Amino acid sequence: PFIQSMRRFPLFSFKDGMETLPLALAQHLKENLLLNRAAALLAFDQKGIEIQLDDGQKIRADYVVSTLPTFALSSLLKLQ
């Protein structure tokens, strides 16, 4: 029934608007969320991901959530 319903209504929203999702993520992540920072490089290894910021700071992470278009994200990848 759910899939059939989604076929009829492929677009969705939240009761309080689309901003609901990023606000909930920000509330959950709190001190682990960096705003107004630019990534310069993403390097993947067995331990996770190393993110180098444009100011040279390096951060280790288990996951990265990106809203960049694919072409922009691929320009940050460090190929081994």
Side-chain angles (χ1 to χ4, degrees):
F2 176 75
I3 293 174
Q4 291 168 343
S5 170
M6 290 304 293
R7 286 183 180 144
R8 287 184 284 143
F9 307 105
L11 298 177
F12 69 92
S13 188
F14 295 94
K15 180 180 172 185
D16 295 322
M18 292 302 285
E19 193 176 39
T20 302
L21 180 59
L23 289 176
L25 286 170
Q27 180 65 27
H28 180 73
L29 295 171
K30 292 184 181 179
E31 66 275 349
N32 294 318
L33 182 65
L34 296 176
L35 300 174
N36 301 314
R37 306 292 297 273
L41 185 70
L42 298 175
F44 296 82
D45 59 28
Q46 286 113 355
K47 296 178 185 175
I49 306 154
E50 183 177 84
I51 305 143
Q52 183 173 333
L53 303 179
D54 61 351
D55 65 359
Q57 180 183 358
K58 293 182 180 180
I59 301 168
R60 297 250 2 136
D62 295 323
Y63 305 97
V64 171
V65 176
S66 174
T67 59
L68 291 173
T70 305
F71 71 89
L73 183 60
S74 66
S75 69
L76 299 177
L77 298 177
K78 179 180 179 182
L79 300 176
Q80 299 289 328

